[in-house]
Amino acid sequence: QKEVEQNSGPLSVPEGAIASLNCTYSDRGSQSFFWYRQYSGKSPELIMFIYSNGDKEDGRFTAQLNKASQYVSLLIRDSQPSDSATYLCAAGGSQGNLIFGKGTKLSVKP
Amino acid sequence: GAVVSQHPSWVICKSGTSVKIECRSLDFQATTMFWYRQFPKQSLMLMATSNEGSKATYEQGVEKDKFLINHASLTLSTLTVTSAHPEDSSFYICSATRQGGARSKNEQFFGPGTRLTVL
């Protein structure tokens, strides 16, 4: 069974701090990895995707991938209350599908 | 680019009726479309995968005769919930992958979702 595991949280961080979200995946054949953000009552929106080992930065967001450890993370710098949402990690499947984790709920306190 | 729309955005119906939800890729041709369901405070659950002109592939436990999926063109897929019951009340979300030019063949573009309430 191909799986993506995330800590469900909630993860609570103060405004301005760095939020660190983690994810592990079971399928070594996965080549691409995605972070989606989902606000309550809304559909997911893509934040970043990564397919090479190492870091990828986009504004306040940094995705990190370690294929040897089958580990993906998302760092959010200078966290804002508007970042409070559920963050979904997903691994690309061989059929063009995405295997989603259950999501980590992030709460940024003012 | 890569906008996906859904219609309607919300629907309330009586138990026993059928409801059709449309998913359209507005500015690209969708290789594959996916249908998800999400109950309150729960995670996304993939219901089925559909390719244009082919029968949909349903996930285990999803009744294909109850959730009819038609993918008639590269820009339109429909989900029909037949004989809906209160337990079918949920948030239904579609997504699509883009044919050609995508950064990753797995990247999915999500529609805004349809909230179904069955009385």
Side-chain angles (χ1 to χ4, degrees), chain A:
Chain A
Q1 182 94 3
K2 298 172 183 176
E3 294 181 335
V4 172
E5 300 281 347
Q6 292 182 257
N7 188 318
S8 62
L11 172 66
S12 184
V13 300
E15 183 175 356
I18 296 175
S20 177
L21 303 159
N22 305 312
C23 165
T24 58
Y25 60 95
S26 64
D27 183 10
R28 285 195 174 275
S30 291
Q31 297 295 314
S32 53
F33 304 88
F34 300 78
W35 283 101
Y36 284 86
R37 175 175 63 195
Q38 186 177 24
Y39 292 111
S40 181
K42 302 292 186 183
S43 67
E45 54 179 330
L46 182 68
I47 299 175
M48 294 185 70
F49 85 100
I50 185 169
Y51 54 81
S52 298
N53 270 330
D55 296 0
K56 180 181 179 182
E57 188 174 316
D58 184 359
R60 294 186 297 113
F61 300 95
T62 299
Q64 299 173 318
L65 173 61
N66 183 324
K67 291 186 179 180
S69 301
Q70 296 176 247
Y71 177 87
V72 192
S73 67
L74 179 70
L75 300 178
I76 307 175
R77 288 181 299 282
D78 189 23
S79 295
Q80 301 298 308
S82 58
D83 295 325
S84 298
T86 296
Y87 288 80
L88 303 171
C89 172
S94 58
Q95 307 299 317
N97 58 321
L98 285 177
I99 303 163
F100 280 93
K102 294 187 183 299
T104 298
K105 187 172 183 179
L106 173 66
S107 178
V108 181
K109 304 293 186 184

